[in-house]
Amino acid sequence: MSSTHLAGRTAVVTGAGAGLGRAEALALAAAGANVVVNDMGPAAEDVVSEIKELGVGAVAVLGDVSDWSLGDRLVSAAVETFGSLDVVVNNAGITRDTMLFNLTEAQWDSVIAVHLKGHAAVSRAAAVHWRNASKAAGAPVYGRIVNTSSEAFLFGSAGQPNYAAAKAGITALTLSSAQGLSRYGVTANAICPRARTEMTANVFDADPNGNELDILAPERVATFVSWLASPAAATVNGQVFVVYGDMVALMAAPTVERKFTSTTGTFTVEELDEQLVPHFADRSPRQNYAAYSVAELDTTGVQPLNR
């Protein structure tokens, strides 16, 4: 049986001072991993204390993931403190929700910087380490990247043009990382989670079932992240999962709905008009590239709050 334990491994978790990141850090620690806890403020030290109570090591590295150099600091902290780097969980994020016509440059830049640049900065530093380690060993090493995307990129959320774009970018970064690093023994996967945290405090209604473990508890997502980080998930690479409540849904790759081919070898606008207009006639506005059907997976009974 494949092992789900992480004893002797070291993980880096960004944005781990609270919410989903904290739950992920604790889940990895419960599986036996030492954890480098990243966040912007002193809450990271509190999580370090919680992890140490589980009998494994932990160290806090404070800083903003949008600072490119922080990636190197996190990798160095893992290697210098615990002797290895095995798992990276990119979780840190912010929201600056607004409609596109109200979007400011600052709102765009800050969300892209923390989410997309932050994922890239930490992943790049880890990739450098793993590539060098693999070359030195003359064989693949152990490496896991778990990135945090969102259903916002699947739906194209109208009030989140910056956030949705960042999450789409993170998904593409994940696929590129999976292809580029697999030869070194590294896997990269993305999760689209729903979790009740401080960042989503104004998003979800209360758990209608009154479960002891909230149906949207971040611990539910963290369990899956711990599994993805384990040896058991060695063959899982370049995948995207929607994760929350009582389910994990594996997303399929996009498919071609229909191919249009010129009858003469070169399209004219008239022929394009002749072929495409009938195809889109009477088409539902929701029948587009957005994956609205994913919403039908929801069995939580939790309704979104009106904003």
Side-chain angles (χ1 to χ4, degrees):
M1 180 179 292
S2 298
S3 174
T4 58
H5 298 291
L6 291 168
R9 307 289 185 188
T10 301
V12 167
V13 184
T14 67
L20 182 55
R22 171 183 171 274
E24 291 166 336
L26 290 171
L28 293 166
N34 301 309
V35 185
V36 177
V37 179
N38 161 255
D39 214 301
M40 293 278 287
E45 296 287 359
D46 297 334
V47 177
V48 166
S49 297
E50 289 185 86
I51 290 173
K52 288 182 176 179
E53 290 178 2
L54 297 174
V56 294
V59 62
V61 176
L62 305 187
D64 183 345
V65 292
S66 67
D67 177 353
W68 195 256
S69 66
L70 181 63
D72 293 317
R73 288 175 53 207
L74 292 171
V75 172
S76 295
V79 175
E80 293 171 8
T81 307
F82 303 113
S84 70
L85 171 67
D86 305 286
V87 178
V88 168
V89 179
N90 285 308
N91 165 76
I94 60 172
T95 55
R96 299 291 184 269
D97 293 355
T98 184
M99 298 295 287
L100 181 60
F101 40 75
N102 290 324
L103 180 66
T104 66
E105 184 177 7
Q107 289 170 323
W108 173 267
D109 287 347
S110 60
V111 169
I112 296 297
V114 174
H115 285 278
L116 184 52
K117 183 182 177 182
H119 273 62
V122 180
S123 295
R124 182 212 63 86
V128 170
H129 168 77
W130 284 322
R131 179 173 180 265
N132 290 341
S134 177
K135 286 190 170 184
V141 295
Y142 188 102
R144 301 283 189 272
I145 297 174
V146 181
N147 288 334
T148 308
S149 186
S150 169
E151 289 172 278
F153 109 85
L154 295 170
F155 301 152
S157 302
Q160 298 180 305
N162 44 6
Y163 184 77
K167 293 306 188 181
I170 286 168
T171 303
L173 173 65
T174 303
L175 298 179
S176 178
S177 301
Q179 293 195 57
L181 301 179
S182 61
R183 73 188 71 176
Y184 306 114
V186 180
T187 66
N189 296 284
I191 61 170
C192 300
R194 291 188 200 179
R196 196 186 307 282
T197 66
E198 183 177 344
M199 194 171 82
T200 63
N202 297 319
V203 176
F204 301 118
D205 202 350
D207 181 356
N209 301 314
N211 293 325
E212 183 175 342
L213 182 63
D214 189 337
I215 195 66
L216 290 178
E219 289 79 7
R220 294 176 181 268
V221 177
T223 298
F224 181 64
V225 169
S226 176
W227 180 82
L228 271 183
S230 75
T235 59
V236 182
N237 191 34
Q239 305 296 334
V240 177
F241 299 90
V242 175
V243 187
Y244 60 87
D246 60 358
M247 62 129 218
V248 172
L250 173 62
M251 296 302 298
T255 60
V256 176
E257 178 181 331
R258 179 169 175 177
K259 179 182 178 182
F260 301 92
T261 305
S262 171
T263 58
T264 63
T266 303
F267 268 118
T268 63
V269 291
E270 290 79 13
E271 187 181 9
L272 286 168
D273 190 59
E274 179 182 336
Q275 289 198 38
L276 271 68
V277 168
H279 185 74
F280 289 97
D282 301 320
R283 190 180 180 94
S284 166
R286 284 194 162 233
Q287 191 180 353
N288 56 31
Y289 198 75
Y292 294 110
S293 61
V294 175
E296 297 173 5
L297 295 169
D298 189 358
T299 60
T300 64
V302 177
Q303 302 299 315
L305 294 170
N306 293 324
R307 291 190 172 185

